[in-house]
Amino acid sequence: MSDDLQTQLNNTIRTVSDWPEPGVQFRDITPILQNPAVFKAVIDHFCQRYSELKPDVLVCIDARGFLFASPVAYALGLPLVPIRKKGKLPYHTVSTDYSLEYGTGTIELHQDAIEQGQSVVLVDDLIATGGTLLASAKLVRELGGRVIEAAAIVDLPDLGGSQKLIDDNVKPYALTTYQGV
Ligand code: AMP
């Protein structure tokens, strides 16, 4: 990771205290999207990385993961698969419950979205407790996919998610980290 990109990101991401509930420091990535130079730097960085790693599929997590994975899939000519919150995908799905820093839920993946043995990079905006990405990895594996990396803009290592991913054989890859919550 270039210090340059990390500095740009830290100067751009907005922290909103006590949202969506008291005690959470919400790292808001929307200012990245509003800044074309920073957004381009992020997408170019991921394009460089995944043109080398060559996953078969990018799997993006509802909803902010969609924003970052889509341009990378387009640029690299890779299949793009969404994991969505319950009730949004129209066809047959596999599903699992999960918990995240400030809640619980159920996520779903179309049953025919991943082929046996395909290598997958998961893409979300942020790793907190890791619940969302661990649940996503479980669904991909249920369909026979191999999760080779979980990419995010931000890692909050003190919440333990990236370590849990490592323990589950999923390599976390984040462009910047914030200490504390
Ligand atoms: P977790 O499952 O606990 O790793 O939480 C990750 C998911 O919840 C990601 O999809 C994030 O968009 C969101 N999230 C959790 N905590 C935060 C936070 N402090 N700031 C921004 N997004 C968060």
Side-chain angles (χ1 to χ4, degrees):
M1 181 62 39
S2 76
D3 287 352
D4 218 29
L5 179 56
Q6 192 164 359
T7 307
Q8 268 183 310
L9 286 169
N10 292 350
N11 290 336
T12 306
I13 292 164
R14 168 170 53 198
T15 298
V16 181
S17 296
D18 299 318
W19 195 88
E21 57 185 44
V24 175
Q25 298 278 55
F26 193 86
R27 311 297 177 173
D28 176 18
I29 54 78
T30 61
I32 298 174
L33 307 171
Q34 289 170 252
N35 185 323
V38 178
F39 187 51
K40 182 174 182 346
V42 167
I43 299 307
D44 287 351
H45 183 90
F46 283 138
C47 282
Q48 177 66 39
R49 182 167 181 83
Y50 297 120
S51 64
E52 287 163 16
L53 206 60
K54 299 190 192 319
D56 294 320
V57 182
L58 292 183
V59 170
C60 51
I61 319 297
D62 196 347
R64 287 179 289 272
F66 299 172
L67 300 165
F68 297 99
S70 302
V72 178
Y74 173 80
L76 298 184
L78 287 173
L80 179 66
V81 167
I83 283 187
R84 298 219 57 186
K85 287 166 192 151
K86 189 178 172 61
K88 301 287 185 189
L89 289 174
Y91 190 57
H92 302 298
T93 60
V94 287
S95 75
T96 188
D97 297 334
Y98 73 108
S99 58
L100 73 164
E101 189 186 358
Y102 44 75
T104 58
T106 304
I107 49 172
E108 298 182 329
L109 172 62
H110 272 150
Q111 262 174 16
D112 61 354
I114 310 282
E115 288 167 29
Q116 187 73 29
Q118 280 189 316
S119 60
V120 168
V121 169
L122 303 172
V123 183
D124 202 355
D125 66 325
L126 181 140
I127 307 167
T129 66
T132 309
L133 282 164
L134 285 166
S136 301
K138 183 179 161 212
L139 291 183
V140 168
R141 286 168 173 160
E142 208 172 312
L143 298 183
R146 289 182 299 115
V147 181
I148 56 175
E149 185 155 288
I153 310 300
V154 178
D155 182 21
L156 307 178
D158 294 339
L159 290 181
S162 40
Q163 186 57 51
K164 278 195 217 147
L165 287 166
I166 293 166
D167 295 344
D168 196 36
N169 282 317
V170 176
K171 184 180 186 310
Y173 182 77
L175 304 186
T176 188
T177 56
Y178 286 83
Q179 305 308 313
V181 291

